């Protein structure tokens, strides 16, 4: 009973701590997401700063050049996606309406026993939704002063945090170590660099895999004459940062666009292209590029993405898996340090064995 009681109150304390932590994170969600995003961007850009510094460029100048180039590239990607969507949305809307009619004809002749009344009702609802809500669809999430202010605040926080992490990351880490109790400081000091290597490997590998996905799936849907192939490829690249779920969503989006604009046959071919690229990515590219440094069980990936999405939306889903990977590395490093420390203490506490001395020969009488 006493053991059960001790385990129970410890579990309650742990649950209470987690609950308080989640409440605090929810209260400052924007700040937390901005800082985590800055960490991810820093992990991607820091090798460039280090390379420039090794070639004699002052660290401040190297940081400024790398940060400006990185933010300009990300801004251009966002502008390009928005421009392409706005340029093609009217044409896509017309093609969607034509595709609905084609889909209606196919369903009427299919073996699914769909009645014309059901088809007409569904087609009417879809046509009205696409035709009447185009503006709302394209501007969803961008309306309202509060949303704009929060977005700008998050972007500015991310930019400033990235600049300081790139320029002064080592001193920030050394200051953070001073907050750790001295007894645990050596273990944390050893776990930090390992965690950073894991995060860097994850970000680099994810960017490479996302680019490969976007290029090959984009080329496939381009040659299949699917509209908005380039914006869809960019969406595939961005959604690749949400493991498992992002690939499903972006692939489904490409298939749906192909279905309503080019018909069932093109949609099937698009699905085949998406599945082929994603299978190659999942079984060959990810193990080869990411390696063992960031290996996380698929169940942990699904649960972490779901939990991150529930806590902080899309941003939480993006940062969930790298957070789990880093946590796994830190826990493993601390466990190894504790075991090594226990072995050293046991070795120090055990006195050396006394080697028996042979009795000397008695002197001859």
């Amino acid at each position: 009973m006493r053991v059960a009681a001790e385990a129970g109150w410890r579990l309650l304390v742990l649950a209470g701590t987690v609950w308080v932590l989640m409440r605090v994170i929810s209260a400052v969600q924007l700040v937390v997401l901005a800082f985590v995003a800055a960490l991810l961007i820093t992990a991607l850009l820091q090798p460039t700063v280090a390379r420039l510094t090794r070639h004699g460029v002052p660290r401040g100048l190297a940081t400024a050049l790398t940060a400006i180039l990185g933010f300009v590239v990300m801004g251009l990607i966002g502008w390009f996606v928005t421009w392409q969507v706005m340029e093609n949305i009217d044409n896509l809307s017309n093609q969607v309406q034509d595709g609905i009619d084609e889909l209606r004809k196919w369903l009427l002749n299919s073996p699914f026993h769909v009645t014309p009344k059901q088809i007409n009702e569904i087609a009417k609802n879809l046509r009205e939704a696409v035709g009447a809500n185009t503006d709302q669809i394209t501007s969803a999430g961008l309306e309202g002063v509060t949303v704009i202010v929060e977005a700008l605040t998050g972007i500015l926080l991310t930019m400033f945090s990235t600049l300081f992490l790139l320029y002064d990351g080592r001193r920030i880490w050394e200051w953070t170590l001073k907050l750790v109790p001295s007894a645990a400081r050596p273990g944390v000091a050893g776990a930090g660099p390992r965690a950073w290597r894991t995060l860097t490997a994850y970000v680099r590998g994810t960017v490479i895999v996302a680019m490969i996905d976007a290029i090959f799936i984009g080329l496939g849907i381009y040659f299949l004459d699917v509209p908005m192939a380039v914006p869809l490829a960019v969406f595939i690249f961005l959604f690749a940062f949400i493991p498992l779920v992002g690939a499903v969503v972006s692939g489904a989006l490409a298939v749906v666009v192909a279905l309503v604009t080019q018909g069932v046959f093109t949609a099937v071919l698009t699905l085949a292209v998406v599945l082929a690229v994603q299978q190659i990515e999942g079984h060959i590219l990810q193990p080869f590029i990411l390696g063992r440094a960031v290996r996380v069980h698929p169940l942990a990936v699904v649960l972490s993405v779901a939990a991150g999405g529930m806590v902080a939306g899309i941003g939480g889903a993006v940062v969930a898996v790298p957070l789990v990977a880093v946590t796994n590395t830190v826990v493993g490093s601390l466990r190894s340090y504790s075991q090594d420390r226990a072995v050293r203490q046991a070795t120090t506490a055990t006195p050396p064995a006394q080697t028996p001395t042979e009795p000397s020969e008695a002197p001859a009488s």
Side-chain angles (χ1 to χ4, degrees), residues 124-210:
K124 179 182 177 182
N125 293 336
L126 289 176
R127 189 181 294 111
E128 291 177 353
V130 173
N133 299 319
T134 299
D135 295 336
Q136 288 82 353
I137 292 173
T138 56
S139 62
L142 299 178
E143 297 179 355
V145 176
T146 303
V147 175
I148 295 176
V149 170
E150 288 184 356
L152 291 176
T153 303
I155 292 172
L156 290 176
L157 281 174
T158 302
M159 293 176 64
F160 279 110
S161 300
T162 303
L163 284 173
F164 283 112
L165 289 172
L166 285 173
Y167 180 73
D168 217 11
R170 183 177 296 276
R171 285 204 297 176
I172 293 174
W173 170 243
E174 292 174 353
W175 176 83
T176 305
L177 280 178
K178 295 178 182 178
L179 303 177
V180 180
S182 57
R185 194 172 299 162
V188 176
R194 294 185 182 181
W196 183 250
R197 286 194 295 269
T198 297
L199 184 62
T200 304
Y202 175 85
V203 174
R204 289 185 194 171
T206 303
V207 169
I208 294 173
V209 171

Side-chain angles (χ1 to χ4, degrees), residues 217 224 255 265-279:
I217 295 179
L224 291 173
V255 173
F265 182 70
T266 303
V268 172
L269 293 179
T270 302
L271 178 62
V273 170
V274 171
L275 291 178
V277 174
Q278 289 181 353
Q279 288 299 311

Side-chain angles (χ1 to χ4, degrees), residues 207-225:
V207 169
I208 294 173
V209 171
M211 288 182 63
I212 293 173
D213 278 358
I215 290 172
F216 284 98
I217 295 179
L219 287 174
I221 60 180
Y222 173 78
F223 287 117
L224 291 173
D225 290 330

Side-chain angles (χ1 to χ4, degrees), residues 35-50:
F35 182 73
V36 174
L39 280 176
L40 296 177
I41 297 173
T42 303
L44 181 64
L45 300 181
Q46 191 270 337
T48 304
V49 175

Side-chain angles (χ1 to χ4, degrees), residues 108-132:
L108 285 175
N109 298 322
S110 68
F112 298 119
H113 305 291
V114 181
T115 63
K117 182 178 179 181
Q118 293 173 327
I119 295 295
N120 290 333
E121 189 67 26
I122 295 174
K124 179 182 177 182
N125 293 336
L126 289 176
R127 189 181 294 111
E128 291 177 353
V130 173

Side-chain angles (χ1 to χ4, degrees), residues 8 16 18 36 43 50 76 78 80 107 124 148 186 192 240 247 256 286 295 347 360:
V18 172
V36 174
L76 287 176
F80 179 76
L107 287 175
K124 179 182 177 182
I148 295 176
V256 169
Q286 281 193 354
R295 181 167 294 179
T347 304
S360 57

